[in-house]
């Protein structure tokens, strides 16, 4: 293996390890990311770690300040709402386009992804290990990825991926598990039904309603446990999604 290839591999490993620990909450929101500590944690050198951290900045998971170094990006109810609004626009449109363009192979991939997700839902990892929660999240993200995969626009798909990546840590930190397994299965089965029926009229409204659930859960969590507000930068549980995003 060449030196350049080895460096690229270490950077990729560092990126994935950081990503997993940020998404799971192992590296808490707003915590300092000291290169020396991370190097010891992952047994990876400083250079690939800096490169990996720099790549997480435009992804919205890490912030960097001059002379202060890297930090895990803080949680913000305002950011969560903005992520949700973007999903209501981007993911809903990508889903509708997939219904228009998807072929038989796409349909079979939707069914297979739902089957994999259903097996995770049956043992929904509330209160279990970070590893178990991340596995559930990966299957959940995989299902949504397949739903939009036939949209015919790689930038839309990439946008959906990045929004999901930013959302995962909210669910991990707040341990959002109030939805029953039956309801969770029904919500995603309904998306599959719309996909297989090629119900273009229902595609955008159902996806918009679906993605709003995360905001509702975080607000409910803040109401039930005000101590969680220390994890939220603005702590403004009164923020609302724009009505025109959720009314149809």
């Amino acid at each position: 293996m060449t030196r350049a290839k080895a460096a690229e591999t270490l950077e990729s490993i560092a990126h994935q390890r950081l990503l997993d620990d940020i998404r799971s909450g192992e590296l808490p929101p707003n915590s300092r990311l000291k290169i020396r500590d991370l190097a010891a944690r992952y047994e990876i050198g400083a250079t690939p770690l800096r490169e990996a951290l720099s790549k997480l900045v435009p992804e919205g998971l890490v912030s960097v300040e001059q002379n202060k170094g890297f930090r895990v990006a803080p949680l913000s109810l305002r950011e969560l709402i903005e992520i949700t609004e973007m999903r209501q626009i981007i993911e809903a449109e990508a889903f509708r386009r997939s219904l228009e363009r998807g072929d038989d192979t796409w349909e079979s991939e939707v069914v297979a992804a739902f089957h994999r997700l259903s097996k995770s839902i049956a043992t929904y990892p509330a209160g279990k290990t970070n590893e178990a929660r991340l596995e559930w999240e990966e299957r959940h993200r995989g299902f949504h990825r397949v739903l939009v995969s036939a949209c015919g626009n790689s930038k839309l798909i990439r946008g959906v991926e990045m929004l999901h990546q930013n959302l995962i840590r909210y669910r991990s930190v707040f341990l959002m598990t109030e939805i029953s397994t039956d309801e969770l299965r029904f919500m995603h089965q309904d998306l599959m039904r719309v996909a297989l029926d090629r119900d273009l009229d229902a595609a955008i409204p159902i996806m918009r309603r679906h993605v709003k659930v995360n905001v509702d859960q975080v607000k409910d969590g803040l109401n039930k446990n005000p101590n969680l507000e220390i994890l939220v930068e603005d702590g403004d549980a009164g923020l609302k999604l724009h009505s025109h995003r959720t009314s149809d």
Side-chain angles (χ1 to χ4, degrees):
M1 182 183 295
T2 66
R3 183 176 298 179
K5 188 65 177 177
E8 183 181 332
T9 300
L10 285 172
E11 181 187 321
S12 177
I13 293 171
H15 182 273
Q16 189 59 53
R17 296 288 300 277
L18 285 162
L19 187 60
D20 287 347
D21 283 351
I22 291 171
R23 290 189 309 177
S24 70
E26 281 288 309
L27 293 173
N30 212 32
S31 60
R32 288 280 303 277
L33 295 170
K34 298 179 180 178
I35 300 296
R36 181 182 300 175
D37 294 344
L38 294 174
R41 181 186 183 99
Y42 301 134
E43 298 182 345
I44 294 176
T47 299
L49 277 168
R50 285 194 184 91
E51 292 296 324
L53 286 166
S54 295
K55 286 188 175 180
L56 289 171
V57 172
E59 294 178 22
L61 296 174
V62 169
S63 61
V64 59
E65 299 178 40
Q66 190 172 6
N67 300 324
K68 292 186 178 180
F70 296 97
R71 284 185 181 273
V72 178
L75 295 180
S76 162
L77 188 55
R78 186 177 300 279
E79 181 197 45
L80 176 60
I81 289 174
E82 289 176 353
I83 290 170
T84 301
E85 288 183 332
M86 286 296 291
R87 287 185 68 197
Q88 287 178 319
I89 296 168
I90 293 174
E91 190 165 353
E93 176 60 19
F95 183 45
R96 186 192 66 78
R97 292 189 185 193
S98 285
L99 267 61
E100 286 184 324
R101 304 181 184 199
D103 56 14
D104 290 348
T105 300
W106 173 73
E107 286 190 5
S108 66
E109 289 172 352
V110 170
V111 173
F114 177 73
H115 176 68
R116 289 190 293 271
L117 179 61
S118 293
K119 292 178 75 172
S120 286
I121 289 174
T123 55
Y124 189 48
K128 295 187 179 179
T129 65
N130 287 329
E131 184 178 350
R133 280 197 296 273
L134 285 175
E135 181 180 350
W136 184 89
E137 287 289 359
E138 197 56 43
R139 292 192 180 192
H140 179 250
R141 189 160 62 116
F143 176 68
H144 279 265
R145 184 191 303 122
V146 170
L147 289 179
V148 303
S149 63
C151 73
N153 187 315
S154 62
K155 299 299 184 185
L156 273 179
I157 294 171
R158 176 59 180 158
V160 170
E161 282 282 293
M162 287 190 66
L163 290 169
H164 272 265
Q165 193 160 278
N166 279 270
L167 175 64
I168 287 174
R169 68 198 191 107
Y170 282 87
R171 283 202 288 258
S172 295
V173 170
F174 283 89
L175 300 178
M176 289 153 45
T177 58
E178 292 296 316
I179 297 178
S180 69
T181 55
D182 287 342
E183 187 178 356
L184 201 59
R185 184 181 295 105
F186 174 78
M187 287 167 56
H188 293 90
Q189 188 172 19
D190 220 22
L191 286 170
M192 180 178 69
R193 176 189 59 77
V194 168
L196 299 182
D197 290 348
R198 307 301 177 106
D199 190 344
L200 294 174
D201 291 336
I204 288 179
I206 194 173
M207 186 61 77
R208 286 181 173 176
R209 288 194 300 271
H210 181 83
V211 303
K212 183 177 177 288
V213 168
N214 294 291
V215 172
D216 294 337
Q217 282 191 286
V218 168
K219 287 184 176 181
D220 187 55
L222 288 172
N223 287 332
K224 290 180 178 178
N225 187 359
N227 291 332
L228 289 175
E229 286 193 6
I230 64 173
L231 298 174
V232 180
E233 190 175 59
D234 44 40
D236 185 357
L239 290 170
K240 297 180 180 179
L241 283 170
H242 297 308
S243 59
H244 73 275
R245 297 282 183 238
T246 56
S247 61
D248 48 354

